[in-house]
Amino acid sequence: DTSDWLDERFVIGAANFDAETTLEYMLECMKFEAKEKGGLWGVVIDPYNYIAKPDKRKYSGSGIGETCFISTMLSQLKAFALEAKCHVWIVAHPTKNTAWVDGKKPSLYDIAGSAHWFNKCDMGLILARKTCTEDGELVYLDTLEVEVAKARNREAGQLGTVRFDYDSEARSYEPNESPFEEETRPKKRKRLT
């Protein structure tokens, strides 16, 4: 059954999102899983902002505490991935989504905290739900755009964008193969206040 399939393939390292988890603790757990339990194929950190940040005084001097933390974190996670021969995916959110109304999309530079999200990643994907404004209100549409915004190794992927439409009956996404030039207006999903 589905539960057995998931249990064989995934380990939930920290399910308690009420307490922030340190990067050091996460790396310890990941190293234990990689060595003692027979290896890892991949690690998903979702969401990034639940990782406890160290005291800003540790990175004092120029007021770039979070930037230094993100740079160090990405370097440590990449070193772990190389040592364990696995992938590490990090889910990180943009600073504010209201800036991308009516066709404007976020970039990797818009992720909260640092330009290092673009500079240090090997592969950068952006998932952006389409929105528009109607009668002064922000409306989510049923279209999701998935953009490969960075691919350091061209053998792993190439830059580009694909679209998917949400099928509410099947509760899944289906590829939207209409040309990007064609102006399509998918049905509305929900209004935000």
Side-chain angles (χ1 to χ4, degrees):
D1 91 316
T2 305
S3 179
D4 292 336
W5 186 90
L6 289 170
D7 286 343
E8 290 172 13
R9 291 163 176 80
F10 294 91
V11 175
I12 297 176
N16 181 3
F17 291 118
D18 292 332
E20 290 189 343
T21 304
T22 66
L23 177 61
E24 291 75 20
Y25 176 74
M26 289 174 62
L27 285 166
E28 262 181 54
C29 293
M30 291 160 45
K31 288 175 183 176
F32 175 78
E33 290 293 331
K35 273 191 174 169
E36 305 298 324
K37 298 258 181 132
L40 293 170
W41 285 8
V43 174
V44 179
I45 299 171
D46 181 12
Y48 148 76
N49 58 316
Y50 278 93
I51 299 173
K53 312 301 179 288
D55 187 340
K56 286 186 180 184
R57 289 173 287 188
K58 181 177 179 181
Y59 298 106
S60 65
S62 58
I64 55 169
E66 190 170 17
T67 300
C68 286
F69 172 75
I70 290 169
S71 177
T72 302
M73 175 193 71
L74 293 173
S75 295
Q76 289 177 334
L77 290 170
K78 184 169 185 167
F80 165 79
L82 291 170
E83 181 182 323
K85 296 183 172 97
C86 74
H87 297 280
V88 176
W89 295 275
I90 305 169
V91 177
H93 300 279
T95 53
K96 294 179 182 164
N97 69 344
T98 55
W100 305 294
V101 177
D102 291 333
K104 295 179 185 172
K105 292 190 303 186
S107 75
L108 294 173
Y109 287 110
D110 294 314
I111 299 172
S114 176
H116 287 303
W117 291 110
F118 178 85
N119 299 337
K120 288 199 165 191
C121 76
D122 289 330
M123 198 75 159
L125 301 175
I126 297 171
L127 281 63
R129 288 176 44 195
K130 296 292 282 180
T131 60
C132 68
T133 52
E134 287 186 6
D135 301 324
E137 293 186 48
L138 182 64
V139 178
Y140 278 118
L141 304 176
D142 280 346
T143 299
L144 172 73
E145 285 190 2
V146 178
E147 177 186 0
V148 178
K150 181 174 181 184
R152 188 181 310 270
N153 179 355
R154 299 294 186 219
E155 292 175 4
Q158 62 186 18
L159 303 180
T161 304
V162 293
R163 289 186 297 189
F164 296 90
D165 291 326
Y166 185 69
D167 180 347
S168 57
E169 288 182 26
R171 297 181 57 96
S172 65
Y173 285 91
E174 299 292 327
N176 176 333
E177 298 179 16
S178 62
F180 276 89
E181 299 78 37
E182 180 181 316
E183 182 59 40
T184 57
R185 191 151 183 96
K187 63 183 180 176
K188 295 179 213 174
R189 179 76 192 267
K190 66 180 180 180
R191 293 186 184 270
L192 295 179
T193 54

